[in-house]
């Protein structure tokens, strides 16, 4: 599981996944591979039944808002956020996102479980904004990629939404990222608005069988366990350690490979790897710029490993919730101790 403090995934997410069509080892996709892939995608599960119906009861306590829809079927793929009904300027604000990669099931279901079981306990301390499923088409088809890029970028049939949150990133904005960024702007802006952004993810076997070959990326060992991804330009290793300690009570932590890396990235401490600034890479975790305190935390989550024999859907979802609550508990404790959580920001992908 990888979490940027960010994420976890379900075992059931492996069901119905298909491998890349004739891409060949370490060969980038061309137009024919993209076309073959796009036309062969099948609906495996229902976004409405598994996500939207769970939002309806939340409307009794939270503000449930439609902030957009995907153009291939606006009725089928509306985009929703859930936020504190009493949003107060005096409170620090927290953004939690899931399902940027739609196939990473526990990112979606973990965000929903947090809203159902734990969010109320933090409603007096934080303004909470939760976007449980950024990429609903990917959720239904169990895909990392989206299906919209052809309409946005010529000659691209499928694009990774989690590289599209920065115009200078790997790809231009997708419908998924553009809708979320507009929503954040409408709520008062992205920069300096959020103390903490937790983006939930997971690492699955198809990362190795489909995603990396499609991008002609050298193979790596898929980590068996939960891990975090830290922003090396501003790490908060004490924060990460608190999250890792909480998650290990639910599931196992990914060990480093013999060369001291996880997915080819250097391990900074147990269960934590370092990457460049998420904003520079166009990651969702870089969609917000926290207040300018150098004590700020920025975290990427590799998340849980749903294909592990040691994990199941329930474990993955609970690990996501543990990552969220421990991240928030740490910030609250820091605030009480005079560490100034109101000014020190945190970024995490789970």
């Amino acid at each position: 599981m990888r979490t940027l403090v960010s994420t976890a995934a379900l075992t059931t997410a492996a069901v119905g996944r298909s491998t890349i069509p004739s891409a060949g080892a370490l060969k980038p996709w061309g137009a024919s591979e993209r076309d073959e892939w796009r036309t062969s995608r099948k609906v495996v599960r229902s976004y409405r039944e598994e996500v939207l119906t769970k939002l309806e009861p939340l409307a009794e306590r939270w503000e449930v808002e439609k902030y957009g829809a995907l153009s291939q079927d606006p009725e089928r793929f509306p985009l929703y956020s859930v936020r504190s009904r009493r949003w107060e300027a005096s409170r620090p604000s927290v953004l939690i996102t899931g399902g940027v990669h739609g196939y990473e099931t526990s990112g979606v279901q973990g965000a929903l479980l947090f809203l159902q079981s734990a969010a109320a306990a933090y409603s007096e301390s934080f303004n909470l904004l939760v976007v449980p499923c950024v990429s609903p088409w990917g959720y239904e088809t169990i895909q990392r990629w989206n299906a919209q890029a052809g309409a946005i970028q010529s000659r691209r049939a499928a694009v990774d939404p989690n590289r599209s949150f920065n115009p200078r990133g790997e790809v231009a904005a997708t419908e998924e990222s553009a809708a979320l960024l507009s929503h954040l702007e409408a709520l008062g802006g992205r920069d300096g608005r959020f103390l903490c952004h937790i983006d939930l993810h997971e690492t699955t076997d198809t990362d190795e069988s489909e995603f990396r070959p499609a991008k002609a990326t050298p193979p790596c060992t898929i980590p068996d366990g939960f891990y975090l991804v830290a922003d090396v330009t501003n790490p908060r290793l004490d924060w990460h350690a608190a999250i890792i300690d909480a998650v290990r009570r639910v599931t196992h932590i990914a060990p480093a490979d013999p060369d001291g890396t996880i997915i080819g990235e250097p391990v900074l401490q147990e269960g934590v790897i370092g990457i460049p600034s998420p904003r520079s890479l166009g990651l969702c975790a870089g969609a917000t710029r926290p207040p300018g305190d150098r004590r700020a935390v920025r975290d990427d989550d590799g998340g849980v490993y749903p294909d592990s024999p040691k994990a199941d859907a329930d474990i993955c979802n609970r690990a996501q919730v543990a990552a969220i609550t421990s991240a928030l508990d740490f910030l609250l404790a820091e605030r009480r101790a005079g560490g100034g959580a109101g000014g020190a920001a945190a970024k995490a992908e789970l």
Side-chain angles (χ1 to χ4, degrees), residues 168 190-194 279 285-292 298 345 347:
R168 294 183 296 277
R190 299 184 285 140
D191 291 349
R193 176 75 169 181
F194 293 94
R279 178 167 283 205
T288 58
R289 188 191 302 277
R298 191 163 206 152
K347 284 279 184 170

Side-chain angles (χ1 to χ4, degrees), residues 221-227 253-273:
T221 301
I222 299 299
D224 185 355
F226 182 95
Y227 66 98
I253 305 304
D257 291 336
D259 64 355
T261 68
I262 292 177
I263 60 167
E265 302 294 342
V267 173
L268 306 182
Q269 63 187 38
E270 183 191 13
V272 182
I273 65 172

Side-chain angles (χ1 to χ4, degrees), residues 22 42 116 139 184 240 291 307 344-345:
S22 63
K42 305 297 181 184
Q116 293 165 338
Y139 185 84
L184 297 178
H240 301 150
D307 300 315

Side-chain angles (χ1 to χ4, degrees), residues 222-235:
I222 299 299
D224 185 355
F226 182 95
Y227 66 98
L228 300 174
V229 185
D231 176 357
V232 296
T233 68
N234 197 17

Side-chain angles (χ1 to χ4, degrees), residues 65 81 83 87 129 181-189 193-194:
E65 180 180 356
S81 69
R83 72 176 187 272
W87 193 281
L129 174 63
L181 293 176
S182 294
H183 185 44
L184 297 178
E185 293 289 355
L187 291 175
R193 176 75 169 181
F194 293 94

